[in-house]
């Protein structure tokens, strides 16, 4: 039995580097040798015990790598081909997938999110990819691992927030929180034709990065009341769309207070505790508001589209990688990332 | 000055029959002699002081009548023509109307709802109709006042809930509460192609009426746990769409718990107090849920469509009229309707 | 090698009953023992040589049957289970399927249509079903074969025409031609909330069946000019949606002439020869017209929805089966059906 | 009676500068003093007699100016305010407008296009604006006339082609013809998130301008077969969307041949003569193709959005103005523009 190194969830507070068998693949599956991966905010939720996964689970859901083996029935790919796989890996064949709800694969909430959740993930030397025909996405020539590292999750999620907001040409869009996903939502709002993009955060570097990715106006919520400011900036109209990219009551509620009657609150955050809907901001239910939540879209067609966005230089997310670690050092990487030290946005992990 | 009788809001707890001048109309407006109108649940909110309107306001927003006068610039209509006017009267020319948010006319939340709210309403002998070109809807020959009395609000709102739910052929749709609006939502779900319509209420007569309007299964929430029942009836999938037609935390939350990942909560209720979003039912924000609120669509094109639904006998809502009063007796009508006595669903008021 | 009887395309003009090996299935596939099937207009195109298929191909794409064998990896089904399979069998895992174009599976035009086209079909004792996980749809208890026989193609296609037309509550919808697919489009328009459904044909029995399935008005194009009549019936507005269900220049053009500016021509026909777009009817390209073509939607989720429509008695298409044959008699069945003798609508074929 | 200068259609082949009374406005209308306007390809169709207008009609439909008078009931504006008005001026209150088909105002094909068509236009010193409340759009501070001159028609039409194509993030979009409208369609495709934009024309300057506005690849149809090239550039997939911006059989047909099964042909051209739909490119009607035609969206909300796109520097269309004339010289301007001399793209006309 070949062994490999992997980051394994042991118990709340403890993710360790461990030795695990290289996965054995079956029909319809693929084995990918990981060349670069990263840590997600959701992994930190797992680390902290806020999102439950089985002890012993290899974590990580943002793989860049090389095809090492192909199971029976997986055609059209070659060993050695560079690929990414989305954080969400739909089967494509269940009722939910066929009905357009690929992220809810199997009909279970978040059912499409398997890596590092319900099956072993990619913070490891090798990754078993289920439903490989639906999920292996070749990397266009000339793109580096780090250039495409945001595609599997961060970019797909952030852009998904912009897409679910039904942004139209000339819209005003607000994005609350400019962590990696919020930054991608900002880039997505720009891609979709918003004419006024307002971002809210308190970290100067993040607000500056937001401007580079397409924001027109940045608001530091420690300096100004963002809702009041947004109403003034829109002549009292309110934003057409507000994207929530943090997962707190305050940002959720501020989003609702920032949008016009008939506007959309597009929510990307992962919430815990309680979430209240302020009745006044909802116009007692009479304001034609829409609240939409979006889980990262996956599947190889989604990945193909995102890779093409990178290849055509529409958006450059490589600068989000602020720190680099070897897989050996992943415990240090978690320590840095979980504590948001040293201005970290995203880390690159290389086995 | 010609005088007329009208139901006037005096203070919380007090709506009285009073004498008021017949309205004087300006350019672009019309005067409609009311032949039949009705009382809405929202009027009861006004009566109870739960929804604030200016003292002295003539209430009522569901007019059926005859054109008595036409202001300058109002063409294509004739004096004496039978018409309805929607509860919501969009101007058609502001940014919100031109952007497809006619119910939020003027850019203010609920801005399209004017009658009996921001201008005088139709529980009176005469009604001034603003933006008449956008709002006067001729009644097709052969239809009685009572046949079309539900069009201005109840039918438009209930159908709106079904439309906002994006119901598709073969969907399972749940409707929580079977008051007049919930019953119309049930009829709307049927019209839109749902294959399984489940309604929840506790009043046997309402559940029976729901079956006649298209429900397949009725659940008495005092007998069974509707969420558990719905999950069982759908083989664990959950409903595709749940329509909230009451305006309480419990029904709102039950709706969210009744839908599948990727499902839609279409909310029609008017909420007061606090509204909480249960995080578990929302899959922490990762379930691709959509929550949509809908205010009654108005305008003459909407009314034309609804009148045609009545004329083509797709839906018969006349049986919702359970009691009849003269305008003189409107205080008794409010007493009966506000206290939901004698199995009342809707009352017809005739000046 | 087990042998079975099957209807085989030999050359234009010749489909014969022949002996063929029972299919051998592989991983991810299923073998279905056919209990009932039918002949489609497209099969007649094949017979006549108007649609090319490989000589030796077993024809037929509308299977009702029983699961006889399940390949490796096909789970959640049992041998002996009654199922239907859609005429279109998407893989669910290619770029087109993942992008929502399941009928164009593989990225090739009509790529999702495999049975009796690019692989052997179901006018046989046994059928090999590819991508079984995405395509096997269990029949609800209590439904007979003939009740569900229209689901795989006719009903899915006809309803698809109504769906692609974006029919809204209160629309006027015209359906040109009331053969089996047109009749299903009529039923679909009714299901989607049209308030005025006008059908055009010349066969009295078909027009009468259309009325039973939901048409309000029937026009015999040999008696009246349908376009002129439709304009009159709509007060000069034109229809909101026109569905083409025949595949000729004349019906296509009449559809375009029947719709309002901003209307939709939803095309279901299979065209041959030349097709012209009359510039005047298209308002020189300035009329905001939409022309949409639709190939039968397939996959098990689609089939589940259609089966539920049948089970909930929304639509009863069993009366479309006007004639019955044993598989042994299939050459006679083709003769009757291809020549549209004896008022035939659909035939049921039982091996 | 005050007189003014105006460009008047006399007969096919003859548009002349003439003296005409300054328009008198009524209730709900406005008088705009024109400061800059331009000539459209459609005006050339009028000049050539290919599009019929009444002799004596003042032509032109792209106004930039200053409010000179406001009719009764027009509020929220001030005399002297700088405004644009869309080429299409919806009333906002008819059935078509209320139904979302504002360009087809009144229910007549192209009914929203009034200026220089059914009422006098803006190649004059003054312009009467009907339904002023729905149509006057203030120009943001700091923008010059020439910066916003494309908004009323060219930009709205071109962007409309991208919007009607339902362009999604990562799409491949082809635009056939890079005249002013095609160039704006290119800019619109970029704004909507296409990752690969391919443009087709033969004029090097136009192809170069297209690159500056967002095209990735330009094809000279005199050098290569664009359809073959597009298939190769997309790995055989075909484009997701093709935009037709010329109005000929060849470009229309090439669009259809350039798109994938399930793709969209978004047509902006004004066609004359005959238009054929090649059956093979349409997959005999089975390819899930969509063909959509779009007339320039108008109304003040649309204009507000486009002005904001200019103000936020998303797109700079000022370089499309290649030539400048005084209103006195308009006959020369027509001569230059109609004959497409001197590399003209758009002219600016100043009274």
């Amino acid at each position: 039995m070949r062994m490999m190194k992997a980051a394994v969830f042991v118990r709340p507070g403890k993710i360790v580097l461990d030795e695990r068998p290289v996965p054995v693949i079956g029909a319809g599956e693929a084995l990918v040798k990981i060349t670069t991966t990263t840590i997600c905010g959701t992994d930190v939720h797992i680390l902290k015990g806020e999102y439950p996964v089985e002890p012993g689970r290899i974590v990580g859901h943002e793989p860049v790598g090389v095809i090492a083996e192909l199971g029976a029935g997986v055609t059209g790919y070659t060993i050695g081909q560079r690929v990414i796989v989305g954080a969400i890996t739909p089967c494509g064949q269940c009722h939910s997938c066929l009905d357009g709800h690929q992220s809810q694969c199997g009909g279970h909430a978040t059912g499409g999110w398997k890596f590092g959740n319900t099956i072993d993930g990619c913070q490891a030397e090798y990754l078993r990819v289920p439903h490989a025909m639906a999920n292996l996405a070749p990397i266009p020539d000339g793109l580096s691992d780090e250039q495409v590292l945001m595609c599997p999750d961060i970019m797909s999620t952030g852009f998904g927030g912009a897409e679910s907001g039904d942004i139209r040409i000339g819209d005003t869009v607000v994005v609350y929180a400019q962590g990696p996903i919020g930054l991608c939502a900002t880039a997505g709002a720009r891609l979709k034709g918003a004419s006024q993009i307002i971002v809210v955060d308190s970290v100067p570097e993040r607000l500056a990065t937001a401007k580079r990715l397409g924001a027109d106006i940045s608001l530091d919520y420690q300096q100004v009341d963002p809702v009041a400011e947004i109403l003034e900036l829109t002549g009292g109209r309110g934003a057409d769309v507000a994207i929530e990219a943090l997962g707190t009551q305050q940002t959720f509620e501020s989003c609702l207070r920032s949008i016009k009657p008939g506007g959309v609150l597009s929510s990307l955050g992962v919430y815990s505790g309680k979430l209240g809907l302020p009745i006044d901001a909802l116009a007692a239910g009479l304001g034609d508001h829409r609240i939409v939540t979006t889980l990262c879209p996956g599947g190889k067609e989604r990945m193909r589209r995102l890779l093409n966005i990178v290849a055509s230089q529409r958006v450059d997310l490589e600068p989000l990688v602020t720190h680099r670690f070897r897989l050996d050092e992943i415990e240090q990487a978690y320590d840095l990332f979980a504590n948001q030290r040293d201005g970290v946005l995203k880390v690159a992990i290389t086995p």
Side-chain angles (χ1 to χ4, degrees), chain A:
Chain A
M1 187 187 287
R2 284 190 300 162
M3 299 301 284
M4 68 174 187
K5 290 180 186 156
V8 174
F9 171 77
V10 178
R11 60 171 181 272
K14 205 164 177 62
I15 286 178
V16 301
L17 188 73
D18 201 356
E19 288 269 305
R20 299 288 300 271
V22 170
V24 176
I25 62 167
E29 301 182 338
L31 187 72
V32 168
K33 181 174 178 8
I34 299 300
T35 52
T36 306
T37 184
T38 180
I39 300 176
C40 180
T42 311
D43 296 325
V44 175
H45 284 295
I46 291 172
L47 172 63
K48 294 186 176 169
E50 295 164 358
Y51 185 97
V53 306
E54 201 178 350
R57 173 70 65 231
I58 300 173
V59 288
H61 52 261
E62 295 161 279
V64 184
V66 170
I67 295 175
E69 291 177 33
L70 293 168
V74 183
T75 58
Y77 298 95
T78 55
I79 304 296
Q81 197 170 12
R82 293 179 65 222
V83 291
I84 62 167
V85 183
I88 271 49
T89 46
C91 74
Q93 303 190 323
C94 68
H95 288 283
S96 295
C97 284
L98 290 165
D99 211 24
H101 299 296
Q102 296 160 355
S103 297
Q104 313 298 328
C105 178
H108 311 295
T110 74
W113 174 31
K114 298 165 190 172
F115 287 146
N117 182 20
T118 56
I119 66 174
D120 281 336
C122 64
Q123 291 170 9
E125 292 178 83
Y126 289 92
L127 173 73
R128 179 176 67 90
V129 178
H131 308 292
M133 286 299 290
N135 288 293
L136 296 175
I139 299 171
D141 290 343
L143 297 186
S144 71
D145 276 23
E146 290 196 4
Q147 281 180 298
V148 304
L149 182 58
M150 301 301 122
C151 295
D153 184 347
I154 300 305
M155 189 181 182
S156 191
T157 301
F159 284 14
E163 293 164 315
S164 295
D166 267 344
I167 293 173
R168 293 184 299 141
I169 286 181
D171 269 356
T172 292
V173 177
V174 179
V175 188
Y176 275 88
Q178 290 295 293
I181 283 179
L183 287 166
C184 289
T186 297
R190 182 81 180 217
L191 264 183
K192 293 284 293 175
S195 65
Q196 186 183 32
I197 301 173
I198 305 168
V199 296
V200 184
D201 205 301
S202 69
V203 181
E205 292 75 18
R206 296 189 169 202
L207 292 173
T209 302
K211 286 270 184 109
R212 283 195 294 275
L213 286 171
D216 297 282
I217 296 162
S218 63
L219 302 177
D220 179 343
Y221 66 84
Q222 294 185 332
Q223 306 292 327
V224 298
D225 172 358
V227 171
E229 205 72 17
I230 288 157
L231 287 175
E232 188 171 327
L233 285 163
T234 56
R237 295 176 61 254
D240 297 284
V241 178
I243 303 178
E244 203 286 340
L246 187 60
T248 69
Q249 173 69 30
Q250 185 171 348
T251 46
F252 181 83
E253 188 168 332
S254 293
C255 280
L256 199 57
R257 293 189 186 284
S258 299
I259 55 175
K260 69 176 183 186
V264 183
L265 191 177
S266 177
S267 168
L268 296 174
V270 182
Y271 302 91
S272 49
K274 288 192 172 179
L275 193 56
L277 265 171
I279 290 305
D280 61 324
L282 199 65
L286 301 174
D288 289 338
H289 295 98
R290 283 182 286 157
I291 300 173
V292 188
T293 69
T294 304
L295 177 59
C296 176
K300 73 180 177 189
E301 167 64 9
R302 173 66 169 185
M303 292 303 117
R304 183 188 70 79
R305 290 174 168 267
L306 299 183
L307 290 164
N308 284 350
I309 289 289
V310 175
S312 62
Q313 302 181 302
R314 292 299 193 271
V315 177
D316 178 10
L317 298 172
E318 204 180 357
L320 299 198
V321 179
T322 52
H323 294 73
R324 288 160 187 84
F325 294 89
R326 295 193 313 278
L327 180 58
D328 285 345
E329 308 164 316
I330 195 155
E331 296 175 30
Q332 291 158 252
Y334 265 97
D335 186 52
L336 175 94
F337 187 74
N339 295 293
Q340 290 290 301
R341 279 205 300 270
D342 194 25
V344 64
L345 276 171
K346 291 288 281 185
V347 302
I349 309 285
T350 47

